[in-house]
Amino acid sequence: MHDVIEAAKYEKKVMVLDFVTPTPQGSSWGLGGTCVNVGCIPKKLMHQAALLGQALQDSRKFGWQFTEEVKHNWMTMTESVQNYIGSLNWGYRVALRDKKVTYENAYGEFVGPHTIKATNKKGIEKLYTAERFIIATGERPRYLGIPGDKEYCVSSDDLFSLPYCPGKTLVVGASYVALECAGFLAGLGLDVTVMVRSILLRGFDQDMANRIGEYMKEHGVNFIREFVPIKVEQVEEGTPGILKVTAKSTAGDQMIEGEYNTVLLAIGRDPCTRKIGLDKVKVNINEKTGKIPVNDEEQTNVPYIYAIGDILQDKLELTPVAIQAGRLLVQRLYAGATTKCDYVNVPTTVFTPLEYGACGYSEETAVEKFGEENIEVYHSHFWPLEWTVPSRDNNKCYAKIICNIQDNERVIGFHVLGPNAGEVTQGFATAIKCGLTKEQLDSTVGIHPVCAEVCIQNHLKAHGILG
Amino acid sequence: MAQRLALCRLLSRPARGSLVSHGRAFSTSAGRRNTFNVQDGSDFQDRVVNSPKPVVVDFHAQWCGPCKILGPRLEKLVSKLEGKVLMAKVDIDDHTDLAIEYEVSAVPTVLAMKNGDVVDKFVGIKDEDQLEAFLKKLIGA
């Protein structure tokens, strides 16, 4: 979206082909991509719904009195969320029209050099040619490939517009999608179980990942570790119905069964690059993963074809990264700019019940890259002031700074587990981009009383490595 | 106390489409004839552009809160005029081409059309007095 709007600024004739192939359950959505429709936006809103539930509980200790039992209505929440998304979809239509970008709700695929075939919902095909192309087709949730998966299971593509409360839910997976969804579903009062094949949040700092898991476990989310589903059967039809899941241990021959109203698959996402005719124009893709390798200017092996976003190999799957890459690409192509997208020190946040903000290296990656003896880790637990009165956990929130001793104790890793982690992390990400050192951190005066001040407080004590 | 609250709620919640009885008699059937949902581009051409009577066009969306208030409010006032003005409702997600053609950015957007031309327009919610003035101007002018 943002790259086309940028290109139109430079008076280039631009067209956008956007098409959503419905999910096995029939879900579909409007203009805007994953983030707006079935990702960040609805996720954060539902996470907020769950946080508000917790806030209601806390509020009693602050003097709020209410005698009614507080319940959650899934339909009310979903309707509100979908209404907001509808306004965003329309906003994008208007933005494209204002910038005179041609928009087609059609499935695009290459049929030859510089030529694309666009097929709309009714099956009508049109051909278009262009000087340059940007592929930003994103990804879709992966299915397990077991009996009953497509017929009975849902994915994040379905969850945010589910026209009925999911009820007792089994979440399969340990990705941030799995944990965030499990987190807010449990926060809304549902019985939630997470089935994990091996580790939590692969690719993230594992100490932080385990703390997130522990917190969720202590707050009512069930975990089944080292099992994978092998079969999903329908016991009873309905909205929701009852599904029976059979799972096998990854560590032996043990089999277990369980019944749930909803099974949510969140085991990963696959790029939409297999059926867009890339072979016709000889664009290389990684056959195994489907990802597209590009150079540091987002150019594929075919000079007039570029790619951005989640489909890129070895790049971060984050909305702001895709937006930034797209904008800079267009500026380089048409405005004579030379700035390339900086994929280093990109901050991110996982919106699990206990939020996790991070920027830079995980502890284990820092050790691997710089050597144990060359890094110093400062850490501390903290108790948010807002949690004191309602007697919430005093030893769960946690912050960790990783410094490179050989480079002036440069801050190379920032990790915080606590409320508003995203808000806390954003500013520190800029500081890290500017080359933040431990000394500069120490010399910053804290704001009191806020959670973020723990990141600069002197009582962050150095500890041995991975202790 | 509880009863009074219930009554207030009944009065202030406007009905979508059909009129709810709350003590004042409105001619339901006349209301129905004067207001219609646009079916497609050619329906718009026939019943709005080529309409011998002036038409207010209400561009709205399912996801728009203020639209749900403005729609019934406008409908009620249009039906009071007993056929001097017609009202066409266009859902911008169902008829995006039409909405784009008439440069609708935000909703609700209401156009006043006479002899196929847009003679007046407003965006956002308006109260009954403002709507009455808007309609009066359309029939009068």
Side-chain angles (χ1 to χ4, degrees):
Chain A
M1 283 300 317
H2 297 261
D3 53 353
V4 301
I5 292 175
E6 190 73 29
K9 257 201 246 173
Y10 304 109
E11 319 227 316
K12 300 314 267 188
K13 209 160 138 229
V14 188
M15 164 180 258
V16 165
L17 293 177
D18 179 62
F19 190 83
V20 178
T21 307
T23 71
Q25 295 299 325
S27 308
S28 183
W29 49 89
L31 181 60
T34 295
C35 173
V36 164
N37 293 286
V38 288
C40 327
I41 302 294
K43 175 265 297 283
K44 185 100 190 288
L45 288 171
M46 292 196 177
H47 169 67
Q48 174 67 357
L51 290 178
L52 288 171
Q54 175 71 64
L56 279 167
Q57 299 310 319
D58 291 355
S59 73
R60 291 185 199 270
K61 291 282 176 61
F62 284 93
W64 289 101
Q65 297 176 322
F66 41 96
T67 50
E68 298 158 32
E69 191 202 327
V70 174
K71 292 184 301 209
H72 184 260
N73 184 313
W74 174 269
M75 294 310 305
T76 306
M77 174 185 70
T78 310
E79 196 182 317
S80 304
V81 169
Q82 289 302 318
N83 283 348
Y84 178 61
I85 293 174
S87 73
L88 293 179
N89 296 143
W90 179 253
Y92 281 121
R93 289 303 304 271
V94 171
L96 289 183
R97 179 192 69 204
D98 286 349
K99 300 282 190 265
K100 307 213 185 347
V101 172
T102 313
Y103 162 71
E104 287 272 339
N105 182 214
Y107 187 93
E109 48 192 312
F110 285 98
V111 289
H114 289 274
T115 313
I116 270 221
K117 174 175 81 174
T119 311
N120 73 7
K121 264 193 291 238
K122 303 195 175 113
I124 302 180
E125 295 174 359
K126 290 195 211 167
L127 288 179
Y128 296 101
T129 58
E131 191 190 335
R132 291 196 174 100
F133 296 84
I134 300 179
I135 307 170
T137 48
E139 303 181 305
R140 294 298 289 271
R142 188 178 304 150
Y143 280 78
L144 283 164
I146 60 171
D149 65 353
K150 292 205 169 131
E151 298 91 302
Y152 307 122
C153 301
V154 297
S155 71
S156 57
D157 281 357
D158 306 295
L159 184 66
F160 303 112
S161 56
L162 208 63
Y164 54 85
C165 180
K168 180 177 173 192
T169 304
L170 174 69
V171 178
V172 182
S175 55
Y176 72 81
V177 175
L179 297 187
E180 286 175 345
C181 290
F184 73 71
L185 289 173
L188 299 177
L190 303 178
D191 177 341
V192 177
T193 305
V194 181
M195 187 176 283
V196 176
R197 185 177 52 103
S198 63
I199 62 172
L200 299 178
L201 296 174
R202 185 177 300 275
F204 287 85
D205 184 294
Q206 283 299 291
D207 180 53
M208 305 305 283
N210 289 326
R211 287 169 186 271
I212 290 171
E214 279 309 307
Y215 183 88
M216 287 174 69
K217 211 161 99 185
E218 284 170 28
H219 288 267
V221 178
N222 308 303
F223 280 84
I224 298 179
R225 305 291 301 250
E226 297 187 332
F227 272 85
V228 288
I230 56 168
K231 178 166 66 170
V232 178
E233 296 162 289
Q234 188 177 63
V235 170
E236 205 178 282
E237 258 190 77
T239 52
I242 302 182
L243 301 172
K244 183 167 94 169
V245 178
T246 309
K248 184 171 179 309
S249 165
T250 57
D253 285 328
Q254 200 196 349
M255 301 266 267
I256 55 170
E257 280 179 0
E259 284 192 356
Y260 305 91
N261 294 124
T262 297
V263 176
L264 172 69
L265 300 181
I267 56 169
R269 294 172 66 80
D270 291 320
C272 300
T273 51
R274 310 268 189 194
K275 297 191 194 154
I276 57 173
L278 291 182
D279 51 318
K280 303 265 182 354
V281 282
K282 311 226 188 326
V283 169
N284 288 340
I285 68 169
N286 178 316
E287 279 306 322
K288 180 160 166 267
T289 62
K291 296 232 173 182
I292 301 183
V294 293
N295 62 16
D296 63 0
E297 296 188 325
E298 287 81 33
Q299 195 178 34
T300 66
N301 60 305
V302 177
Y304 66 89
I305 301 179
Y306 299 81
I308 53 174
D310 291 0
I311 55 174
L312 297 191
Q313 180 163 277
D314 298 328
K315 299 277 195 282
L316 298 158
E317 293 178 18
L318 294 168
T319 300
V321 171
I323 293 177
Q324 178 85 311
R327 280 214 182 102
L328 292 176
L329 168 62
V330 169
Q331 284 170 7
R332 287 196 305 270
L333 290 176
Y334 301 115
T338 50
T339 320
K340 300 187 198 175
C341 188
D342 183 2
Y343 292 97
V344 171
N345 288 331
V346 172
T348 180
T349 297
V350 181
F351 295 97
T352 33
L354 192 56
E355 294 178 8
Y356 168 39
C359 184
Y361 290 99
S362 66
E363 203 173 324
E364 48 273 36
T365 313
V367 163
E368 198 187 303
K369 180 153 179 170
F370 298 95
E372 258 191 66
E373 64 286 3
N374 293 320
I375 68 162
E376 195 78 277
V377 181
Y378 298 87
H379 69 166
S380 179
H381 284 95
F382 60 98
W383 198 19
L385 181 64
E386 295 81 2
W387 289 22
T388 56
V389 162
S391 305
R392 288 176 62 188
D393 297 302
N394 63 0
N395 61 347
K396 289 287 182 278
C397 295
Y398 177 75
K400 175 165 82 172
I401 313 275
I402 304 171
C403 301
N404 182 355
I405 301 177
Q406 292 185 312
D407 180 20
N408 228 344
E409 274 210 303
R410 184 100 30 212
V411 175
I412 56 169
F414 172 96
H415 303 264
V416 65
L417 194 60
N420 304 305
E423 310 291 2
V424 172
T425 308
Q426 183 71 87
F428 284 103
T430 303
I432 290 173
K433 218 175 171 54
C434 296
L436 180 70
T437 61
K438 181 68 169 63
E439 198 190 327
Q440 287 170 320
L441 206 51
D442 289 345
S443 66
T444 311
V445 178
I447 302 171
H448 185 74
V450 300
C451 295
E453 63 177 320
V454 72
C455 303
I456 56 165
Q457 269 166 359
N458 289 334
H459 69 252
L460 283 184
K461 58 191 205 304
H463 75 138
I465 312 303
L466 296 176
Chain B
M1 186 64 159
Q3 266 184 323
R4 191 146 62 99
L5 276 174
L7 190 59
C8 285
R9 233 179 279 132
L10 201 55
L11 286 173
S12 64
R13 186 189 298 149
R16 283 212 73 181
S18 66
L19 297 166
V20 107
S21 74
H22 44 240
R24 286 154 71 185
F26 286 117
S27 170
T28 326
S29 52
R32 287 262 160 81
R33 266 208 311 275
N34 295 332
T35 305
F36 58 92
N37 289 311
V38 170
Q39 299 300 309
D40 53 36
S42 55
D43 188 35
F44 190 83
Q45 195 66 25
D46 292 338
R47 298 173 82 180
V48 179
V49 178
N50 297 335
S51 167
K53 296 205 197 137
V55 186
V56 287
V57 187
D58 174 15
F59 288 93
H60 63 93
Q62 288 299 324
W63 39 261
C64 164
C67 298
K68 297 194 190 344
I69 300 175
L70 182 74
R73 194 180 278 173
L74 193 52
E75 234 172 297
K76 183 180 93 178
L77 294 172
V78 162
S79 72
K80 256 166 75 172
L81 295 173
E82 290 168 342
K84 295 207 196 78
V85 171
L86 299 178
M87 177 164 157
K89 292 167 64 134
V90 181
D91 180 317
I92 62 173
D93 289 319
D94 290 340
H95 308 290
T96 308
D97 293 341
L98 215 45
I100 294 204
E101 194 186 325
Y102 285 89
E103 295 179 342
V104 175
S105 300
V107 276
T109 290
V110 174
L111 304 181
M113 294 193 62
K114 212 175 210 177
N115 301 323
D117 295 323
V118 178
V119 299
D120 205 352
K121 160 179 172 168
F122 70 82
V123 179
I125 199 165
K126 294 267 183 270
D127 64 34
E128 284 198 19
D129 293 335
Q130 293 169 312
L131 291 179
E132 261 183 26
F134 179 81
L135 291 170
K136 248 171 120 175
K137 191 163 155 227
L138 176 58
I139 341 173

